[in-house]
Amino acid sequence: MPLPLIYHDDYSPQFPPEHRFPMDKFRLLRDHLVDSGLTRDADLLRPAVCPADTLALAHDRDYIERFMSGQLGREDQRRLGLPWSEALARRTVRAVGGSLLAAEQALQHGLACHLAGGTHHAHYDHPAGFCIFNDLAIISRYLLASGRVGSVLIFDCDVHQGDGTARILANTPDAITVSLHCEKNFPARKADSDWDIPLPMGMGDADYLQVVDDTLNYLLPLYKPDLVLYDAGVDVHKDDALGYLQLTDAGVSARDERVLRHCLGRDIAVMGVIGGGYSKDRPALARRHGLLHHSAQRVWTDLGL
Ligand SMILES: [Zn+2]
């Protein structure tokens, strides 16, 4: 069977083209993966929207309602940094549904990747940094509550710390939060993940990959999670507009492939979300996000899954 990939046309709604957040990148990523022969549009799995009751496993119900009805206060609107619209609300719950579907596919088949996801700055009752609902925290709570997993490990390699995830899951011991991030990047005030690995500005491929290997070689045998949620943010790239690390395309690609092999080599299911990536060169950005899916395809083929 083909590698499970999850996408929906709701992901890239009409959006101000000059906005700092590249909302068209999800559609461009889909186009890139189809054009490069990795998948066919008809093979992409389309998610349902995530129900409010599931969102409420990790979020305040009043906050969910305020956002969905376009009633965020001015301070929340400022922290979010995205203009509200019906289409934004729909894409938001659709994308959480997509991460959920990716996690379920990963549990079933070992590996699955989303063409969106990784909204790790979203907090219990407010948005932050382009993130509204925290898919990683929601999935963790949902799968733990339903007994589908005994433990889940979130391996967050976005250049920014997964502060929302860390705070929401602070008292959920069976969801282990791990964040590798540049110490100088947003957020200025860091949360306490179970494991924080702050990295110095300017770190390049070789040193970074060593940290990834060392971290997973230590943590995966330690926790033996049933599922890893991997945030493959590409804002670690040297050409990213917001990140302070210096990875190349080859470095990002090697990182993704290693993370997936670390998990699958230990019989741990893993799902990938794309996380952050900010670049004015949108086709380059889409290709960069696609490194995850191409890495996943290599691993999938090698394992004969
Ligand atoms: Zn980021």
Side-chain angles (χ1 to χ4, degrees):
M1 66 171 282
L3 168 69
L5 297 171
I6 289 85
Y7 176 77
H8 197 284
D9 288 327
D10 281 352
Y11 288 177
S12 288
Q14 286 294 325
F15 203 72
E18 291 308 308
H19 196 282
R20 198 154 71 98
F21 187 84
M23 192 59 87
D24 54 352
K25 72 178 185 178
F26 310 98
R27 178 174 47 78
L28 295 173
L29 171 58
R30 189 274 313 267
D31 293 348
H32 162 66
L33 295 181
V34 170
D35 293 346
S36 60
L38 184 79
T39 186
R40 298 178 310 168
D41 184 69
D43 287 337
L44 298 170
L45 304 175
R46 262 72 179 184
V49 298
C50 183
D53 283 347
T54 304
L55 299 174
L57 293 170
H59 292 283
D60 177 59
R61 284 195 183 267
D62 285 345
Y63 167 53
I64 296 168
E65 279 182 30
R66 273 201 312 280
F67 172 73
M68 293 308 291
S69 58
Q71 307 284 318
L72 283 185
R74 186 183 301 193
E75 173 61 12
D76 278 353
Q77 192 53 57
R78 186 192 62 76
R79 285 195 277 208
L80 171 56
L82 301 173
W84 190 90
S85 66
E86 293 269 358
L88 178 74
R90 191 169 58 249
R91 73 98 39 219
T92 299
V93 289
R94 184 74 71 183
V96 177
S99 289
L100 204 49
L101 178 57
E104 286 172 338
Q105 287 287 313
L107 285 173
Q108 211 173 336
H109 304 293
L111 172 61
C113 288
H114 197 187
L115 277 67
T119 40
H120 62 169
H121 299 307
H123 292 267
Y124 173 70
D125 60 0
H126 65 87
F130 310 135
C131 300
I132 298 146
F133 300 133
N134 194 310
D135 56 341
L136 303 170
I138 293 164
I139 292 168
S140 300
R141 286 268 176 82
Y142 179 78
L143 295 175
L144 288 167
S146 66
R148 297 279 301 281
V149 298
S151 65
V152 51
L153 186 145
I154 296 161
F155 192 62
D156 187 338
C157 288
D158 189 282
V159 81
H160 305 99
Q161 192 207 28
D163 58 338
T165 320
R167 289 208 174 94
I168 292 173
L169 296 176
N171 296 311
T172 305
D174 294 325
I176 301 107
T177 54
V178 185
S179 180
L180 265 72
H181 52 265
C182 178
E183 60 188 355
K184 297 294 185 204
N185 271 119
F186 176 92
R189 195 164 59 89
K190 303 285 192 284
D192 290 321
S193 311
D194 292 309
W195 296 86
D196 282 302
I197 296 119
L199 307 171
M201 282 177 78
M203 184 180 256
D205 290 348
D207 290 344
Y208 183 93
L209 291 170
Q210 189 63 53
V211 174
V212 168
D213 279 339
D214 291 348
T215 303
L216 291 175
N217 277 329
Y218 181 71
L219 293 180
L220 292 181
L222 182 63
Y223 290 106
K224 302 185 177 67
D226 296 316
L227 175 67
V228 167
L229 307 181
Y230 171 44
D231 185 329
V234 298
D235 42 16
V236 294
H237 195 275
K238 64 186 176 54
D239 296 335
D240 192 84
L242 298 185
Y244 295 145
L245 297 184
Q246 291 288 322
L247 270 71
T248 66
D249 282 350
V252 170
S253 182
R255 175 196 68 174
D256 295 344
E257 188 164 334
R258 286 186 194 200
V259 171
L260 302 179
R261 288 190 194 280
H262 271 290
C263 297
L264 292 167
R266 293 176 172 89
D267 281 329
I268 298 168
V270 55
M271 70 82 99
V273 296
I274 69 171
Y278 309 90
S279 176
K280 287 207 185 307
D281 186 343
R282 302 289 168 87
L285 177 61
R287 282 195 301 277
R288 212 171 286 155
H289 276 305
L291 295 171
L292 168 67
H293 310 83
H294 281 280
S295 290
Q297 181 61 55
R298 285 193 297 279
V299 173
W300 181 262
T301 303
D302 286 357
L303 292 176
L305 287 167

